[in-house]
Amino acid sequence: MTTTTTEKYTQIFTQIHENYGAHMWDGKGECPNHWKPKGGTTYILEDGVDVDAFIKAIESEDDYFTETVRHQQVVKDPYKNVESWDPPTWVTSAKDGFFLDTTQTPETSSLHPKIAVKKSVRCLSFEGYFNHLDTVYTTVDGEILGSSKIEAWLKANPSR
């Protein structure tokens, strides 16, 4: 008897709010509140990622910024309900937390006309701390540029 397993993915949609009242706050007394929604992030967790631990790590709240989960669901198609203009962040398990991988293209972001892909990888600890690992850019000519080379490349390749 042959058994097959269907891969499943957990989609997590978050909402970010920024407190505009905190920008002028001197840190004394109660922080003024003027919260504005600032979009959110679509996370796609690969099968095997601890969903509860990820939610605990990603949700945050302080006087300046909040990110909260507004919806989650398990799907077979990881791109179901994902807008084409909003690149999802893929989440896999790591030893001390999670790897977060976001790939942007000209269709989803304002990139230099000669940049075809921008790929960023970060690590999120179980405690909610981010560590940026690297960003890699691929040009339309196939050249791959690390974050240490992109500034010089942009100077040599003005967009106008």
Side-chain angles (χ1 to χ4, degrees):
M1 179 173 166
T2 304
T3 58
T4 58
T5 57
T6 303
E7 223 173 342
K8 64 179 181 169
Y9 303 89
T10 301
Q11 294 176 325
I12 295 180
F13 301 90
T14 66
Q15 175 67 57
I16 295 170
H17 285 87
E18 182 179 352
N19 184 3
Y20 278 55
H23 293 300
M24 300 298 286
W25 185 39
D26 63 4
K28 297 175 184 167
E30 190 171 321
C31 180
N33 289 314
H34 182 68
W35 292 96
K36 293 182 81 173
K38 301 300 283 186
T41 303
T42 300
Y43 297 99
I44 299 176
L45 284 62
E46 294 194 4
D47 201 9
V49 173
D50 183 334
V51 175
D52 292 333
F54 178 75
I55 290 173
K56 184 178 177 185
I58 202 65
E59 286 192 314
S60 64
E61 180 178 347
D62 61 26
D63 288 325
Y64 302 90
F65 173 93
T66 66
E67 183 169 13
T68 55
V69 172
R70 64 177 179 84
H71 181 68
Q72 77 181 64
Q73 62 189 9
V74 176
V75 295
K76 291 179 184 176
D77 174 5
Y79 291 100
K80 180 181 180 176
N81 303 316
V82 175
E83 300 292 342
S84 61
W85 48 264
D86 186 20
T89 297
W90 285 84
V91 180
T92 56
S93 295
K95 179 182 175 189
D96 297 321
F98 311 93
F99 287 118
L100 284 67
D101 181 335
T102 307
T103 300
Q104 298 172 313
T105 63
E107 293 80 25
T108 61
S109 299
S110 306
L111 296 176
H112 184 286
K114 292 183 181 179
I115 298 288
V117 176
K118 175 184 176 185
K119 182 178 180 80
S120 298
V121 178
R122 298 178 293 158
C123 189
L124 174 65
S125 73
F126 289 118
E127 294 78 27
Y129 298 107
F130 283 100
N131 182 17
H132 183 85
L133 298 180
D134 203 3
T135 299
V136 177
Y137 301 82
T138 305
T139 69
V140 294
D141 299 327
E143 185 177 2
I144 298 174
L145 305 163
S147 55
S148 64
K149 295 185 178 183
I150 191 65
E151 189 174 337
W153 185 90
L154 289 170
K155 285 181 182 178
N157 294 277
S159 61
R160 296 178 199 199

